[in-house]
């Protein structure tokens, strides 16, 4: 308001009914549209600061205004001239009809612009613009034409989104005739549908990328383990050859030791026999 009332800036304030957190907000907006001011918004130090800004603006524009009342009226006049409010509402909202009674300035001090159904071309262009971030993988398509062209794959997604929206709209018309029930299917619903689709796609893509990351980490660990096993197998084969050589040498040494032991036993028996023969001769 100070930018529009003091600096003379042309400002368009756009907000949606989903941004209305309380009835008090609509009451203040109704007062702003009706009189160009919000009661109680500028008080005490805030009011004096506003008046000083208004004085600076009048001096800059070479206007003579002495009283605070004149300065404030000029401020309100500038707000009404420079500040424009765009408030979007959904007719399916249960509070839609009640706002006409509680906030009349939203209707009698504004230009009402009713937005009907968008054409298929409009739906297609909007869906195409909001799904540009989606890069459908070619593995998701069976036709070769789709696999070869990313633009064709993207057009297929856009066509599907528009088809689903139109199908829901046609079903709603049938329900209105048969069950006497009607649900508003507005362009906002179409935008919410696209937003939810893009959000869901991003979530699923993130989940798949996380799973792929863990899978790649697991495969990397398996490859590392395989390489370690191969290295250990090579070392084992090397040690096995060395072990066989040492075992062969030990067997040969054992045979030699047995042979030498047998020879020693034979020599001992010969020595004993010779000793006995000597004793017999001396006796």
């Amino acid at each position: 308001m100070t930018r529009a009332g003091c600096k003379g800036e042309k400002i368009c304030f756009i907000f949606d009914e989903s941004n209305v957190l309380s009835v008090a907000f609509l009451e203040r907006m109704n007062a702003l549209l009706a009189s160009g001011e919000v009661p109680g918004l500028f008080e005490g130090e805030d009011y004096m600061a506003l008046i000083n800004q208004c004085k600076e603006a009048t001096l800059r524009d070479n206007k003579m205004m002495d009283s605070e009342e004149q300065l404030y009226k000029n401020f309100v006049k500038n707000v009404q001239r420079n500040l424009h409010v765009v408030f979007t509402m959904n007719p399916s909202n249960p509070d839609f009809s009640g706002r006409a009674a509680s906030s009349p300035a939203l209707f009698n001090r504004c230009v009402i612009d009713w937005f009907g159904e968008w054409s298929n071309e409009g739906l297609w262009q909007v869906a195409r613009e909001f799904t540009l971030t989606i890069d459908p993988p070619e593995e998701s398509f069976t036709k070769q034409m789709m696999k070869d062209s990313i633009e064709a794959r993207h057009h297929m997604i856009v066509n599907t989104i528009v088809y689903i929206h139109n199908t829901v709209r046609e079903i709603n018309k049938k329900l209105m005739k048969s069950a006497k029930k009607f649900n508003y299917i507005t362009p906002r619903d179409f935008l919410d549908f696209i937003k939810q689709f893009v959000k869901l796609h991003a979530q699923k893509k993130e989940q798949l990328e996380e799973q792929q990351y863990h899978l790649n980490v697991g495969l990397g660990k398996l490859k590392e383990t395989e390489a370690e096993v191969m290295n250990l197998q090579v070392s084992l084969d090397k040690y096995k050859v060395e072990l066989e050589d040492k075992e062969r040498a030990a067997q040969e040494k054992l045979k030699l030791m047995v042979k030498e032991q047998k020879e020693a036993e034979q020599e001992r028996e010969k020595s004993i026999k010779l000793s006995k023969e000597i004793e017999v001769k001396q006796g």
Side-chain angles (χ1 to χ4, degrees), residues 155-259:
H155 285 180
M156 178 61 69
I157 291 179
V158 174
N159 292 335
T160 303
I161 291 175
V162 174
Y163 173 77
I164 293 174
H165 177 76
N166 288 334
T167 302
V168 173
R169 192 164 56 184
E170 291 300 322
I171 293 175
N172 186 53
K173 290 180 180 179
K174 292 179 180 179
L175 286 175
M176 181 179 62
K177 293 179 180 179
S178 60
K180 304 300 181 180
K181 294 181 179 180
F182 184 74
N183 297 315
Y184 286 94
I185 307 297
T186 64
R188 176 185 298 173
D189 298 317
F190 182 66
L191 294 175
D192 290 340
F193 170 47
I194 298 175
K195 181 179 179 182
Q196 183 64 23
F197 177 81
V198 173
K199 180 180 178 181
L200 183 61
H201 174 270
Q203 291 176 350
K204 295 299 182 181
K205 183 179 180 181
E206 183 179 359
Q207 292 176 3
L208 290 175
E209 288 178 347
E210 184 177 358
Q211 293 176 2
Q212 184 177 12
Y213 170 76
H214 290 300
L215 180 61
N216 291 335
V217 171
L219 291 175
K221 293 294 184 182
L222 289 176
K223 289 181 179 180
E224 292 178 3
T225 304
E226 182 183 10
E228 292 179 0
V229 170
M230 292 180 64
N231 292 333
L232 291 174
Q233 186 65 42
V234 171
S235 300
L236 180 61
D237 293 341
K238 179 181 177 182
Y239 291 141
K240 184 177 180 181
V241 173
E242 293 179 359
L243 181 61
E244 289 177 352
D245 292 340
K246 291 182 179 181
E247 186 177 358
R248 192 180 302 110
Q251 290 292 338
E252 292 176 356
K253 189 173 182 180
L254 179 61
K255 291 179 181 180
L256 180 61
M257 290 175 63
V258 172
K259 181 180 179 182

Side-chain angles (χ1 to χ4, degrees), residues 1-15 29 32-33 75 78-86:
M1 289 180 64
T2 55
R3 289 169 56 189
C6 298
K7 299 180 181 180
E9 295 184 22
K10 299 291 184 179
I11 298 176
C12 181
F13 179 40
I14 304 176
F15 71 106
M29 187 58 61
L32 176 63
L33 293 172
F75 167 76
N78 289 336
V79 169
Q80 291 175 328
R81 182 187 301 114
N82 299 323
L83 179 61
H84 298 272
V85 178
V86 177

Side-chain angles (χ1 to χ4, degrees), residues 40-195:
L41 182 61
F42 298 101
E43 294 181 349
E45 296 180 357
D46 294 334
Y47 178 77
M48 296 308 301
L50 175 65
I51 294 300
N52 291 332
Q53 292 184 42
C54 292
K55 288 181 180 179
E56 294 176 0
T58 54
L59 292 176
R60 185 176 61 251
D61 298 336
N62 296 321
K63 294 181 180 179
M64 298 297 295
M65 295 183 184
D66 298 330
S67 65
E68 294 182 359
E69 182 179 358
Q70 289 179 332
L71 291 171
Y72 189 74
K73 286 183 178 180
N74 184 66
F75 167 76
V76 172
K77 184 178 179 180
N78 289 336
V79 169
Q80 291 175 328
R81 182 187 301 114
N82 299 323
L83 179 61
H84 298 272
V85 178
V86 177
F87 182 38
T88 60
M89 293 184 291
N90 190 344
S92 62
N93 193 315
D95 298 331
F96 180 77
S97 58
R99 287 171 181 157
S102 61
S103 303
L106 294 177
F107 296 88
N108 57 30
R109 298 302 296 268
C110 294
V111 177
I112 300 177
D113 192 356
W114 292 90
F115 286 90
E117 297 179 351
W118 289 350
S119 64
N120 284 335
E121 182 180 358
L123 294 172
W124 197 92
Q125 291 293 340
V126 171
R128 178 181 178 276
E129 187 68 25
F130 282 95
T131 57
L132 288 175
T133 57
I134 297 179
D135 182 15
E138 58 184 59
E139 295 83 4
S140 301
F141 298 86
T142 56
K143 295 183 178 180
Q144 189 62 36
M145 179 183 66
M146 295 296 176
K147 294 183 177 181
D148 297 337
S149 174
I150 185 174
E151 185 176 0
R153 297 196 297 269
H154 184 245
H155 285 180
M156 178 61 69
I157 291 179
V158 174
N159 292 335
T160 303
I161 291 175
V162 174
Y163 173 77
I164 293 174
H165 177 76
N166 288 334
T167 302
V168 173
R169 192 164 56 184
E170 291 300 322
I171 293 175
N172 186 53
K173 290 180 180 179
K174 292 179 180 179
L175 286 175
M176 181 179 62
K177 293 179 180 179
S178 60
K180 304 300 181 180
K181 294 181 179 180
F182 184 74
N183 297 315
Y184 286 94
I185 307 297
T186 64
R188 176 185 298 173
D189 298 317
F190 182 66
L191 294 175
D192 290 340
F193 170 47
I194 298 175
K195 181 179 179 182

